[in-house]
Amino acid sequence: MSVEEIEFKDICIKIDFEHNSHHPQRVFDSMSHLISSIELFHLCFLNSVAVETQSEFLLSNVKEGSLESWLSLRIKGDVTSDKKRRLADYLNRCTELVLEFIYDKETIKSIDEIDSLEQSISSMAHEMDLEEFPNVFSLDKHRLLKGYSEIGKATNSLNTIDEAYLKSHTTIKKINKNFYLSDEDLQSLVVDRIEEASSTETLIVKKPDLLGNSMWDFMKDKRSISAKLLDPTWLNKFHQRRVIIAPGDALYCDLLTLIFYDKKGEIIDVKYQISRVHHKVDLNFQQLELDNE
């Protein structure tokens, strides 16, 4: 392994589940949301102290009995090995802080509530000598709250007997199952205004939803986007195989772009919706591959 990529096997998500219970998929759904929440927290913390680095999880081990997922934290970037170790320690300690913050909360009603949490995380970064620019520490509160929203979804999947924990080699933190932050509540906390832009254009299909009504992946202006397809007439034709999508095909459609701004006027999210599909467009797939190389 190169010096730029160092792994730290020191974090675990544990779920104690009711044995011989119905709906077993709930345990794995919960585990997936909990891993997503920790990833979001880590991105939020890391970008506040070391913008030149990135973090990712690798699945290190899964243990039987209670479901335990041990995760290897990989720090990537042009910083020293010593700083990567301190960043990993910082990420794990901050994750414990965000779980402690909601220990007795049912939800977050105001974005001002997390000011004290931001101060605690800032103080920790200062104590560990990680701040690139002291006294200008600022968390991405939207990403932080998205992490909390994922925790709410994770615990909402569990039954009354199940319990979830965050473990390291030295500590264990119980995750509050009573906490919940819906996507709608999250949006109301951070979004100041939404701007809409309509266009009619050709989007290359990257990954369709073959069964239901979830997001489709497209190529737009040589970048990947996910869009909700809201044309029931065309969707029915597609699901009934009256329209076949082959590699390299595109849709000529009406696209609605929703741009979300926070109270500082900064873009915090962009979402796409397709209101109408006019027709399928057959493209030259071999030429498409050459264009994307």
Tab-separated table of all heavy atoms in Angstrom, residues 74-96:
chain	number	residue	atom	x	y	z
A	74	ARG	N	-9.802	4.719	5.515
A	74	ARG	CA	-8.660	5.054	4.667
A	74	ARG	C	-8.600	6.569	4.465
A	74	ARG	O	-9.576	7.191	4.049
A	74	ARG	CB	-8.756	4.356	3.318
A	74	ARG	CG	-7.666	4.754	2.336
A	74	ARG	CD	-7.794	4.041	1.007
A	74	ARG	NE	-7.449	2.628	1.112
A	74	ARG	CZ	-7.455	1.804	0.077
A	74	ARG	NH1	-7.795	2.244	-1.125
A	74	ARG	NH2	-7.127	0.539	0.231
A	75	ILE	N	-7.455	7.157	4.790
A	75	ILE	CA	-7.217	8.585	4.578
A	75	ILE	C	-6.322	8.743	3.364
A	75	ILE	O	-5.223	8.164	3.311
A	75	ILE	CB	-6.540	9.227	5.803
A	75	ILE	CG1	-7.378	9.005	7.069
A	75	ILE	CG2	-6.309	10.723	5.565
A	75	ILE	CD1	-8.706	9.708	7.056
A	76	LYS	N	-6.769	9.495	2.386
A	76	LYS	CA	-6.012	9.685	1.145
A	76	LYS	C	-5.713	11.172	0.970
A	76	LYS	O	-6.586	12.015	1.184
A	76	LYS	CB	-6.802	9.164	-0.051
A	76	LYS	CG	-7.161	7.682	0.024
A	76	LYS	CD	-7.804	7.180	-1.254
A	76	LYS	CE	-9.173	7.791	-1.485
A	76	LYS	NZ	-9.834	7.242	-2.678
A	77	GLY	N	-4.490	11.486	0.576
A	77	GLY	CA	-4.145	12.878	0.324
A	77	GLY	C	-2.661	13.124	0.546
A	77	GLY	O	-1.939	12.289	1.110
A	78	ASP	N	-2.221	14.279	0.140
A	78	ASP	CA	-0.802	14.630	0.206
A	78	ASP	C	-0.472	15.251	1.564
A	78	ASP	O	-0.145	16.433	1.677
A	78	ASP	CB	-0.451	15.597	-0.930
A	78	ASP	CG	1.046	15.843	-1.042
A	78	ASP	OD1	1.805	15.010	-0.506
A	78	ASP	OD2	1.443	16.860	-1.647
A	79	VAL	N	-0.591	14.428	2.620
A	79	VAL	CA	-0.205	14.845	3.973
A	79	VAL	C	0.612	13.713	4.588
A	79	VAL	O	0.619	12.587	4.102
A	79	VAL	CB	-1.431	15.164	4.860
A	79	VAL	CG1	-2.170	16.380	4.335
A	79	VAL	CG2	-2.371	13.970	4.949
A	80	THR	N	1.294	14.006	5.692
A	80	THR	CA	2.181	13.025	6.308
A	80	THR	C	1.393	11.887	6.944
A	80	THR	O	0.204	12.021	7.264
A	80	THR	CB	3.044	13.697	7.389
A	80	THR	OG1	2.191	14.159	8.439
A	80	THR	CG2	3.836	14.863	6.807
A	81	SER	N	2.085	10.777	7.170
A	81	SER	CA	1.459	9.630	7.826
A	81	SER	C	1.009	9.990	9.234
A	81	SER	O	-0.042	9.535	9.705
A	81	SER	CB	2.432	8.446	7.872
A	81	SER	OG	2.776	8.035	6.573
A	82	ASP	N	1.787	10.812	9.922
A	82	ASP	CA	1.415	11.226	11.277
A	82	ASP	C	0.112	12.015	11.272
A	82	ASP	O	-0.767	11.788	12.116
A	82	ASP	CB	2.534	12.076	11.892
A	82	ASP	CG	2.136	12.661	13.235
A	82	ASP	OD1	1.976	11.890	14.202
A	82	ASP	OD2	1.943	13.893	13.306
A	83	LYS	N	-0.032	12.922	10.298
A	83	LYS	CA	-1.268	13.708	10.256
A	83	LYS	C	-2.455	12.825	9.882
A	83	LYS	O	-3.570	13.028	10.375
A	83	LYS	CB	-1.144	14.862	9.258
A	83	LYS	CG	-2.380	15.772	9.271
A	83	LYS	CD	-2.196	17.049	8.490
A	83	LYS	CE	-3.427	17.936	8.617
A	83	LYS	NZ	-3.299	19.213	7.880
A	84	LYS	N	-2.242	11.831	9.022
A	84	LYS	CA	-3.333	10.924	8.675
A	84	LYS	C	-3.822	10.162	9.899
A	84	LYS	O	-5.019	9.946	10.070
A	84	LYS	CB	-2.890	9.964	7.575
A	84	LYS	CG	-2.755	10.637	6.218
A	84	LYS	CD	-2.280	9.672	5.151
A	84	LYS	CE	-2.143	10.394	3.809
A	84	LYS	NZ	-1.657	9.513	2.749
A	85	ARG	N	-2.878	9.773	10.764
A	85	ARG	CA	-3.278	9.087	11.993
A	85	ARG	C	-4.080	10.027	12.893
A	85	ARG	O	-5.071	9.630	13.500
A	85	ARG	CB	-2.047	8.555	12.723
A	85	ARG	CG	-1.372	7.400	12.010
A	85	ARG	CD	-0.264	6.787	12.867
A	85	ARG	NE	0.337	5.652	12.179
A	85	ARG	CZ	1.360	5.734	11.354
A	85	ARG	NH1	1.895	6.922	11.089
A	85	ARG	NH2	1.850	4.652	10.770
A	86	ARG	N	-3.636	11.282	12.978
A	86	ARG	CA	-4.365	12.243	13.811
A	86	ARG	C	-5.732	12.562	13.212
A	86	ARG	O	-6.710	12.754	13.939
A	86	ARG	CB	-3.533	13.522	13.979
A	86	ARG	CG	-2.351	13.328	14.918
A	86	ARG	CD	-1.606	14.611	15.214
A	86	ARG	NE	-0.857	15.091	14.071
A	86	ARG	CZ	-1.027	16.266	13.491
A	86	ARG	NH1	-1.947	17.118	13.942
A	86	ARG	NH2	-0.287	16.624	12.462
A	87	LEU	N	-5.825	12.612	11.878
A	87	LEU	CA	-7.113	12.851	11.228
A	87	LEU	C	-8.074	11.694	11.484
A	87	LEU	O	-9.263	11.904	11.736
A	87	LEU	CB	-6.923	13.053	9.717
A	87	LEU	CG	-6.337	14.388	9.284
A	87	LEU	CD1	-5.986	14.351	7.789
A	87	LEU	CD2	-7.308	15.533	9.559
A	88	ALA	N	-7.563	10.469	11.431
A	88	ALA	CA	-8.412	9.312	11.697
A	88	ALA	C	-8.928	9.346	13.126
A	88	ALA	O	-10.112	9.077	13.385
A	88	ALA	CB	-7.637	8.025	11.432
A	89	ASP	N	-8.049	9.692	14.066
A	89	ASP	CA	-8.458	9.803	15.467
A	89	ASP	C	-9.502	10.901	15.629
A	89	ASP	O	-10.496	10.746	16.348
A	89	ASP	CB	-7.227	10.078	16.329
A	89	ASP	CG	-7.537	10.038	17.816
A	89	ASP	OD1	-8.419	9.251	18.212
A	89	ASP	OD2	-6.904	10.792	18.582
A	90	TYR	N	-9.278	12.009	14.948
A	90	TYR	CA	-10.220	13.144	14.987
A	90	TYR	C	-11.593	12.744	14.451
A	90	TYR	O	-12.627	13.056	15.059
A	90	TYR	CB	-9.616	14.283	14.170
A	90	TYR	CG	-10.563	15.387	13.773
A	90	TYR	CD1	-10.984	16.346	14.696
A	90	TYR	CD2	-11.006	15.509	12.454
A	90	TYR	CE1	-11.836	17.375	14.322
A	90	TYR	CE2	-11.848	16.532	12.069
A	90	TYR	CZ	-12.256	17.460	13.016
A	90	TYR	OH	-13.106	18.470	12.622
A	91	LEU	N	-11.625	12.031	13.332
A	91	LEU	CA	-12.904	11.629	12.747
A	91	LEU	C	-13.684	10.724	13.689
A	91	LEU	O	-14.896	10.894	13.876
A	91	LEU	CB	-12.669	10.916	11.413
A	91	LEU	CG	-12.104	11.756	10.272
A	91	LEU	CD1	-11.935	10.902	9.020
A	91	LEU	CD2	-12.989	12.954	9.973
A	92	ASN	N	-13.001	9.781	14.302
A	92	ASN	CA	-13.694	8.860	15.198
A	92	ASN	C	-14.181	9.555	16.464
A	92	ASN	O	-15.291	9.299	16.943
A	92	ASN	CB	-12.773	7.690	15.551
A	92	ASN	CG	-12.542	6.778	14.367
A	92	ASN	OD1	-13.361	6.706	13.459
A	92	ASN	ND2	-11.414	6.086	14.365
A	93	ARG	N	-13.368	10.452	16.995
A	93	ARG	CA	-13.784	11.171	18.207
A	93	ARG	C	-14.939	12.125	17.909
A	93	ARG	O	-15.853	12.286	18.730
A	93	ARG	CB	-12.585	11.917	18.799
A	93	ARG	CG	-11.551	10.974	19.413
A	93	ARG	CD	-10.244	11.663	19.731
A	93	ARG	NE	-10.397	12.679	20.768
A	93	ARG	CZ	-9.387	13.450	21.189
A	93	ARG	NH1	-8.178	13.313	20.642
A	93	ARG	NH2	-9.584	14.349	22.130
A	94	CYS	N	-14.924	12.747	16.732
A	94	CYS	CA	-16.040	13.627	16.351
A	94	CYS	C	-17.321	12.817	16.143
A	94	CYS	O	-18.421	13.284	16.473
A	94	CYS	CB	-15.697	14.387	15.074
A	94	CYS	SG	-14.502	15.714	15.299
A	95	THR	N	-17.192	11.607	15.593
A	95	THR	CA	-18.366	10.756	15.407
A	95	THR	C	-18.996	10.422	16.751
A	95	THR	O	-20.225	10.395	16.890
A	95	THR	CB	-17.977	9.472	14.662
A	95	THR	OG1	-17.373	9.813	13.416
A	95	THR	CG2	-19.212	8.619	14.387
A	96	GLU	N	-18.174	10.180	17.760
A	96	GLU	CA	-18.702	9.960	19.103
A	96	GLU	C	-19.426	11.210	19.607
A	96	GLU	O	-20.477	11.116	20.250
A	96	GLU	CB	-17.566	9.582	20.051
A	96	GLU	CG	-16.923	8.234	19.739
A	96	GLU	CD	-15.742	7.927	20.627
A	96	GLU	OE1	-15.442	8.750	21.523
A	96	GLU	OE2	-15.124	6.874	20.443
